[in-house]
Structures are given as structure tokens and as C-alpha cells.
């Protein structure tokens, strides 16, 4: 399979709509006539100014609580609005050249899913759900999430129909939630049927661990979430252990040989990167890594402003990382403005070097606190230097295999300067292009 050509240039801005518009949690759920989904579209100019090429949405379909307990896959959640609001969002996105990725939960459904309610006294409906010794199976022990029976052809047909319905309404692809929990033959049956009708659609499976490449191949995904690399980025910066990052980079190279992973340093399910990192100045380095390696990068809304939030393993533990947003910011100052400017610059750098989509990385210098790597595809290359030590990093470029390089960006670095030696201040970074 060849992924759609447009994904080679994709940079996602991810939004969790129910939290973004203040619909969940909320003491009084919004009504459809509040049309809150349109508030997401109000931020599309911001996404474009940031440099994103697409908007990755969290759940927008009818649900009781957080959206991952789907009640009706064919209906927009009433707390967000209605079909007209979805059409407005698609139209506003496509007008700006933004793709739209939907979040599909096809591993499980919520307690209010009509067939589950009938399943308690109807055998035909009951066959839609997985059962263990007569008891309906729940997803990872959550009693409100009922696992679908993926061996049932009716579930296959239903999933195909839901996916094609919304692609026909203008969506450009699907993030497949909890894809790791669904039998791979199910996806291998569903996705070809969907692609037959929408060959330009893109499908990314949520994978957390395991053999990513084999799962992508056997399930038929175009991509998968790169949780291994996400963990290695923040962990190596916190622990001053770039060996962990280099190991993950080598794994990442292997994945790139068969697919382009979805890379990220933040999303709706994890502690925000600004809260995760022990040194605030290392947020820039995390972003530099994200924007200079192979794959398809995704930015979680709010990270470009340095938002903070800690995920906790408890009821309501996701709320801090899924806050409500107000109106798009007209002016920013101080640290917030600096963080957004850095995001804009590095995303712009990424877009000016589209070959990074399939670039592999090689360590040029590696120790616990200093890491210099080269990202390369064909004749194109960048050199990235990271320093989390309290002392400066000095190295002759000749020792890195190149005589001269142009400084493209860095902490305290004048751009466009051509150098033969590399100096990086304590807790600093550089991006260079060999010349």
C-alpha cells in the first residue's frame, strides 16, 4: 500500500473538541443550539499561521461522557452541535487547505449504544459484543465501555459504513482509537473496503507498544502512533540520557523503512510536555527533535503556548490536559509569544524540508548529555546538536564528516551563518545544513 501523497506534507494540529469548547466536563451540558463545534473552526486561522496542514479531531460523535463511549457513530454529539456544524467545520477547514482527521472508536461502545441496550434481552443484538463466560467483555476493565465482537460480519459492515459515511461528508482520514486491542484481521477486512470508495483517505492506528511495523502491515494501516519515541524524547531530556533517545531513533529508522509513524510530544492522553519536562528550556529541544526526524508530526493544541497539565490515573484525571479554550489569541507577550514563535519557526523549517518525512537519523556524537545526529534522505541532510550539560559543547565540523555548515536555527545562534566549528551553549541546541 502507498499512503496518500498529501500525507508527505502533513503536520497535524490536534484538538480534543469536547474539552476545547467546554462541553466536557461541564456542570450543565451544552445544548445543540449553542453550536459549540464552530468554536473549533474559529481557531483554523491560528492553525494555518502556526504552519499546520491539517486538524486532527478527538471524538465528535454522540456519547455520554468523554466521547470514547460512543452512543451513535452517525450523529454529532449534541453537546457540540449538529450535522450543519460539522459541515461548517469541514468547509472552513478545506477553504484554508486544512485536512480533517476524525477519531473513530471501533473497539468498544458506551452503555447507551442502542444495540447494547437491546443485547441484554436479544440474542441477535448480543452477538455484536464480545462475551466471556456469558458476561459482556469491557475494555481494559472500564465497566462503561463494552467491547465489540469483531468476528461478527455485521460489526465489520457497520464499521465500513460509518467510516465511508463521514469520509463522504468531507473527512480526510481516521485515527483508529485503541487499534492495538482490535484483532488485526478485522482491520485487514475493513480498510480495503473503505479505501475502495475513498482511495485518498489516510488511516492511523493507535498503537502503544509491540511490533509496530508488523501490526501496520498486517492490519493495513498507513501509520501508527509513535509512543516509543514520545517516551524517549522527554525521558532522555529529564534523565540526561541520550542513549535512550538514540536507541529509540534506531527503532524509528526501522519503522520508516515500511511506514511513516505519527510522531508527537503531546496529545490528549498524556501529561503536557511543559509539565513533563523538569527543565523548561528543554521544551525547545523536544520540539526540535520532533521537527527534524522522519514521520508525520502532530502538535497538541495549547502546547504552542506552553500550556501545562498533568494526567492522573483517576476519574477526571484527563481534565487538566483537555482544557477549554477561549477565543483565538490576538496578541501574546513574554514566554507565551516566544514559545509560539519557536513553534512557527520550526514548523516552517519542517515545511521547507519536506524530505524529512522519510529521513533516517545517524548519531554523529553521543554521550549522556550531548547528542549530535544527522537526518538524511538521499543527498539532503540536516545536523542537529542537543546539549543538556551545564558546560558548552564544542566540536569541529570536520569531526562530524562535513567541512562547513550553515546555521539554520538555534538557541542564541545567528541564522544563516556559515561555520566550520560548532559551539552550543549549556542546555542549548543548533540545527545546521551542510554546505
Amino acid at each position: 500500500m502507498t499512503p496518500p501523497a498529501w500525507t508527505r506534507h502533513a503536520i497535524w494540529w490536534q484538538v480534543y473538541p469536547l474539552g476545547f469548547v467546554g462541553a466536557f466536563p461541564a456542570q450543565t451540558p451544552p445544548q445543540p443550539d449553542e453550536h459549540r463545534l464552530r468554536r473549533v473552526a474559529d481557531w483554523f486561522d491560528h492553525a494555518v499561521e502556526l504552519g499546520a496542514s491539517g486538524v486532527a479531531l478527538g471524538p465528535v460523535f454522540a456519547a455520554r461522557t468523554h466521547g470514547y463511549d460512543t452512543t451513535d457513530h452517525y450523529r454529532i454529539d449534541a453537546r457540540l452541535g449538529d450535522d450543519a456544524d460539522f459541515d461548517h467545520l469541514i468547509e472552513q477547514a478545506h477553504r484554508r487547505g486544512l485536512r480533517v482527521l476524525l477519531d473513530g472508536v471501533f473497539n468498544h461502545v458506551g452503555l447507551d449504544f442502542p444495540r447494547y441496550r437491546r443485547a441484554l434481552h436479544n440474542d441477535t443484538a448480543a452477538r455484536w459484543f464480545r462475551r466471556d463466560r456469558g458476561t459482556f467483555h469491557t475494555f481494559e476493565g472500564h465497566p462503561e465501555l463494552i467491547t465489540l465482537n469483531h468476528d461478527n460480519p455485521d460489526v465489520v459492515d457497520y464499521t465500513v459504513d460509518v467510516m465511508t459515511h463521514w469520509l463522504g461528508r468531507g473527512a480526510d482520514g481516521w485515527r483508529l482509537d485503541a487499534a492495538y486491542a482490535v484483532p488485526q484481521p478485522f482491520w485487514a477486512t475493513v480498510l480495503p473496503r473503505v479505501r475502495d470508495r475513498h482511495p485518498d483517505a489516510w488511516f492511523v492506528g493507535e498503537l502503544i507498544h509491540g511490533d509496530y511495523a508488523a501490526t501496520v502491515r498486517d492490519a493495513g494501516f498507513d501509520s501508527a502512533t509513535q509512543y516509543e519515541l514520545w517516551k524517549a524524547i522527554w525521558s532522555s531530556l529529564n534523565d540526561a540520557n541520550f542513549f535512550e533517545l538514540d536507541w529509540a531513533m534506531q527503532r524509528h529508522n526501522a519503522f520508516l523503512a515500511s511506514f511513516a509513524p505519527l510522531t508527537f510530544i503531546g496529545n490528549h492522553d498524556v501529561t503536557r510536555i511543559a509539565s513533563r519536562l523538569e527543565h523548561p528550556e528543554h521544551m525547545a529541544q523536544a520540539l526540535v527533535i520532533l521537527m527534524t526526524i522522519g514521520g508525520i508530526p502532530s502538535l497538541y493544541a495549547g502546547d504552542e503556548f506552553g500550556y501545562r497539565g498533568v494526567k492522573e490515573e483517576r476519574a477526571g484525571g484527563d481534565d487538566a490536559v483537555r482544557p477549554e479554550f477561549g477565543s483565538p489569541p490576538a496578541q501574546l507577550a513574554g514566554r507565551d509569544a516566544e514559545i509560539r514563535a519557536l513553534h512557527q519557526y520550526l514548523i516552517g523549517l519542517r515545511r521547507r524540508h519536506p524530505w524529512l518525512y522519510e529521513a533516517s537519523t545517524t548519531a554523529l556524537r553521543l554521550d549522556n548529555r550531548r547528542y549530535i545526529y544527522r537526518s538524511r534522505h538521499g543527498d539532503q541532510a540536516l545536523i542537529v546538536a542537543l546539549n543538556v550539560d551545564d558546560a558548552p559543547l564544542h566540536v569541529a565540523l570536520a569531526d562530524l564528516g562535513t567541512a562547513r555548515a550553515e546555521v539554520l536555527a538555534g538557541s542564541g545562534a545567528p541564522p544563516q551563518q556559515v561555520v566550520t566549528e560548532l559551539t552550543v551553549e549549556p542546555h542549548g541546541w543548533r540545527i545546521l545544513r551542510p554546505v
Side-chain angles (χ1 to χ4, degrees), residues 12 14 175 204-209 212 223-234 245 252 261-273 276 286-287 289-291 293-301 303 350:
W12 296 104
Q14 189 210 352
R175 171 193 177 271
V204 54
E206 184 194 16
L207 304 183
I208 298 175
H209 47 68
Y212 288 4
S223 182
T225 52
Q226 229 300 29
Y227 269 94
E228 286 186 7
L229 185 63
W230 160 78
K231 191 270 179 183
I233 291 173
W234 61 260
L245 179 59
H252 191 64
L262 181 70
T263 57
F264 58 94
I265 55 175
N267 67 29
H268 66 295
D269 276 332
V270 300
T271 291
R272 285 199 181 261
I273 190 67
R276 178 70 76 175
L287 185 62
I289 297 166
L290 179 67
M291 289 298 159
I293 60 172
I296 299 174
S298 176
L299 296 156
Y300 184 44
D303 283 354
R350 174 72 178 217

Side-chain angles (χ1 to χ4, degrees), residues 73-208:
H73 290 87
Y74 292 99
R75 183 164 53 88
I76 297 299
D77 195 301
R79 296 168 294 176
L80 297 174
D82 53 28
D83 274 9
D85 298 317
F86 178 82
D87 292 341
H88 171 80
L89 182 145
I90 293 291
E91 188 271 334
Q92 290 296 311
H94 288 172
R95 263 188 54 200
R96 293 165 172 82
L98 294 169
R99 301 278 179 168
V100 177
L101 187 72
L102 296 181
D103 199 347
V105 188
F106 300 113
N107 175 68
H108 51 269
V109 296
L111 297 175
D112 291 336
F113 190 72
R115 278 190 180 84
Y116 174 67
R117 296 177 71 88
R118 293 200 299 272
L120 302 176
H121 48 76
N122 181 288
D123 287 342
T124 300
R127 285 194 289 272
W128 271 61
F129 306 97
R130 180 176 158 193
R131 286 184 285 187
D132 296 329
R133 299 177 183 176
T135 302
F136 289 105
H137 186 273
T138 59
F139 174 57
E140 296 183 346
H142 299 288
E144 72 281 6
L145 303 178
I146 309 301
T147 306
L148 289 165
N149 174 15
H150 299 97
D151 294 328
N152 185 337
D154 291 340
V155 174
V156 172
D157 292 343
Y158 176 83
T159 304
V160 170
D161 193 66
V162 169
M163 294 175 77
T164 55
H165 172 80
W166 292 105
L167 290 169
R169 292 282 299 275
D172 296 284
W174 286 91
R175 171 193 177 271
L176 303 172
D177 182 70
Y180 57 87
V182 177
Q184 293 167 23
F186 174 82
W187 298 122
T189 302
V190 166
L191 295 181
R193 292 174 57 184
V194 180
R195 283 192 178 97
D196 282 345
R197 294 174 61 179
H198 297 280
D200 206 36
W202 184 67
F203 305 93
V204 54
E206 184 194 16
L207 304 183
I208 298 175

Side-chain angles (χ1 to χ4, degrees), residues 312-389:
E312 300 178 8
E313 296 300 328
R314 59 172 178 82
D318 294 313
D319 297 350
V321 299
R322 302 174 179 180
E324 181 176 1
F325 282 56
S327 299
Q331 297 291 332
L332 294 173
R335 175 73 172 161
D336 291 348
E338 292 175 5
I339 292 174
R340 185 173 74 167
L342 179 64
H343 277 75
Q344 288 176 311
Y345 185 84
L346 291 174
I347 294 171
L349 183 146
R350 174 72 178 217
R351 297 190 71 159
R352 291 190 297 275
H353 298 83
W355 54 267
L356 283 166
Y357 166 86
E358 50 196 330
S360 60
T361 59
T362 303
L364 302 178
R365 177 169 177 176
L366 173 62
D367 61 42
N368 283 333
R369 296 175 176 272
R370 301 176 181 88
Y371 188 33
I372 304 176
Y373 63 87
R374 180 177 57 231
S375 287
R376 169 180 283 173
H377 178 66
D379 295 332
Q380 305 283 347
L382 295 178
I383 294 174
V384 179
L386 308 172
N387 181 20
V388 296
D389 198 61

Side-chain angles (χ1 to χ4, degrees), residues 273-286:
I273 190 67
S275 295
R276 178 70 76 175
L277 293 172
E278 296 172 5
H279 298 274
E281 64 269 33
H282 293 169
M283 183 174 176
Q285 297 187 346

